[in-house]
Amino acid sequence: MTHAIIFDTDPGVDDAQAIAIALAHPDIELLGMTTTFGNVTIDVATHNALLLAELAEQQIPVAQGAADPMVKTKNPPPGHIHGDNGLGNIALPETTTHAVSQSAPQFIVEQVNARPGEVTLVAVGPLGNLAAALQLDPSLPRKVKQVVVMGGSIREGGNVTPVAEANMFNDPHAAARVLQADWPLALVGLDATHRCVLDPASMEKIVAGQPRLGRILGESYAFYRRFYQQAQGIDGCCPHDSCALAWLLQPELFTIQEGYLSVITDGLAEGQTLLAPLSREFVDSRWSIGAAKQVCMDANGPAVIEWIVDTLTRNG
Ligand code: RIB
Ligand code: CA
């Protein structure tokens, strides 16, 4: 089955790995990329999305999106994790292509309306573009095929605060709108992505299998790996954003729980994601806003890594 997707991203080192998968996998039709602030500023995000498509020698529309959160004050981008240029501060060529004239929300609404029921939105950064697209076309939830979000954490704890995952923390108001909308949505959060470690030997295979993107993937990984070694004592990195595509293509590698999602938008716990399991009644209807969602609560980490490596070495 071919998946027609729009990839919403803040590239970012792990985003770049996932973009390489989206560009390479034979069962993915990449309709376009929409960019957001998050790991980097919006200009850097757009530059990196354009550059990766160019280097892959594919003509993929890139629509620029959110430069800031909906409500809160933007946090500075984590240059110590992804590099100030979003790709490990490695030398990068200039881009020769430009973003399309539509904004990211306009691009999403146009593409979904052109192919109702066929388009999957895969969002791996803060969710401002999807929230704005919902505002632009409130009927969107009935027209998308599905939404896959990399973000959140139910039992795993946070990676930016003790309770909040980065994409949710960076724009909690947008996250609340997206995770509580009436559309079919799967959340691939830290409960799943922390079970997956892209080790150096696997990355070496990927570099060898990607003649066009190999240098960027390998050298940006080296920067990201140093952060994981220092901050988490892990020799490798969690390929968070590639896990969203792994769920889409290989859902059997993940353990799902169904329920209602909510996001804390203010105060100490801002960005925390909460799950009210479908299987239980709760005292207050506030816990069941919007349609029930599919939430990844675990993953077969080695099998996910094997899928990532297989995808990127088989489709160079
Ligand atoms: O928490 C991990 C997520 O935040 C990933 O999408 C990573 O790229 C950053 O955006
Ligand atoms: Ca990301």
Side-chain angles (χ1 to χ4, degrees):
M1 174 204 300
T2 298
H3 297 271
I5 75 168
I6 294 172
F7 197 73
D8 189 68
T9 179
D10 59 336
V13 175
D14 65 314
D15 301 69
Q17 296 162 5
I19 289 169
I21 292 174
L23 290 164
H25 201 289
D27 295 339
I28 291 176
E29 179 190 1
L30 184 56
L31 299 176
M33 291 189 271
T34 49
T35 56
T36 173
F37 81 94
N39 290 327
V40 291
T41 63
I42 184 61
D43 292 340
V44 171
T46 303
H47 170 274
N48 292 348
L50 287 166
L51 179 64
L52 289 162
E54 270 177 54
L55 292 177
E57 298 175 10
Q58 293 193 39
Q59 293 184 344
I60 306 292
V62 174
Q64 183 157 299
D68 296 291
M70 281 181 70
V71 176
K72 68 183 275 185
T73 304
K74 183 165 65 179
N75 284 73
H80 64 298
I81 302 179
H82 294 269
D84 294 331
N85 72 359
L87 294 171
N89 288 337
I90 64 175
L92 297 174
E94 274 312 305
T95 55
T96 56
T97 53
H98 302 282
V100 297
S101 58
Q102 296 97 317
S103 70
Q106 286 170 334
F107 182 82
I108 291 169
V109 167
E110 285 173 14
Q111 293 293 321
V112 171
N113 278 284
R115 295 175 60 171
E118 295 181 24
V119 178
T120 294
L121 307 181
V122 180
V124 298
L127 292 169
N129 295 333
L130 270 67
L134 278 169
Q135 202 150 354
L136 201 54
D137 179 358
S139 71
L140 213 58
R142 296 195 297 277
K143 300 174 194 168
V144 293
K145 181 175 181 183
Q146 63 182 328
V147 181
V148 185
V149 171
M150 189 280 133
S153 173
I154 304 303
R155 294 200 198 108
E156 185 72 8
N159 60 0
V160 178
T161 77
V163 296
E165 177 279 327
N167 291 336
M168 305 294 110
F169 177 79
N170 278 330
D171 198 340
H173 296 84
R177 291 182 187 213
V178 172
L179 299 192
Q180 293 183 330
D182 277 332
W183 45 17
L185 181 144
L187 188 70
V188 186
L190 301 184
D191 306 276
T193 67
H194 277 184
R195 307 285 77 82
C196 311
V197 177
L198 184 61
D199 59 282
S202 295
M203 181 42 85
E204 276 179 34
K205 291 176 190 168
I206 290 170
V207 170
Q210 286 290 309
R212 298 179 186 87
L213 296 179
R215 179 186 77 83
I216 283 198
L217 294 175
E219 292 182 7
S220 59
Y221 170 88
F223 185 96
Y224 200 42
R225 177 185 174 193
R226 282 193 290 275
F227 165 74
Y228 270 83
Q229 281 170 324
Q230 290 155 15
Q232 302 193 26
I234 297 174
D235 189 12
C237 77
C238 295
H240 300 285
D241 296 340
S242 299
C243 290
L245 293 175
W247 182 85
L248 182 63
L249 278 295
Q250 306 282 344
E252 70 280 2
L253 301 182
F254 296 81
T255 304
I256 293 287
Q257 186 162 15
E258 281 205 86
Y260 299 97
L261 287 168
S262 44
V263 183
I264 304 298
T265 54
D266 301 285
L268 197 60
E270 65 170 329
Q272 182 174 15
T273 48
L274 306 173
L275 171 66
L278 207 55
S279 53
R280 292 186 51 191
E281 286 289 320
F282 291 97
V283 68
D284 186 321
S285 63
R286 284 178 299 169
W287 285 95
S288 48
I289 296 174
K293 307 297 188 298
Q294 298 193 46
V295 180
C296 292
M297 297 305 290
D298 200 351
N300 177 343
V304 169
I305 298 301
E306 185 181 347
W307 176 82
I308 292 170
V309 173
D310 185 62
T311 298
L312 289 176
T313 50
R314 199 193 289 265
N315 306 283

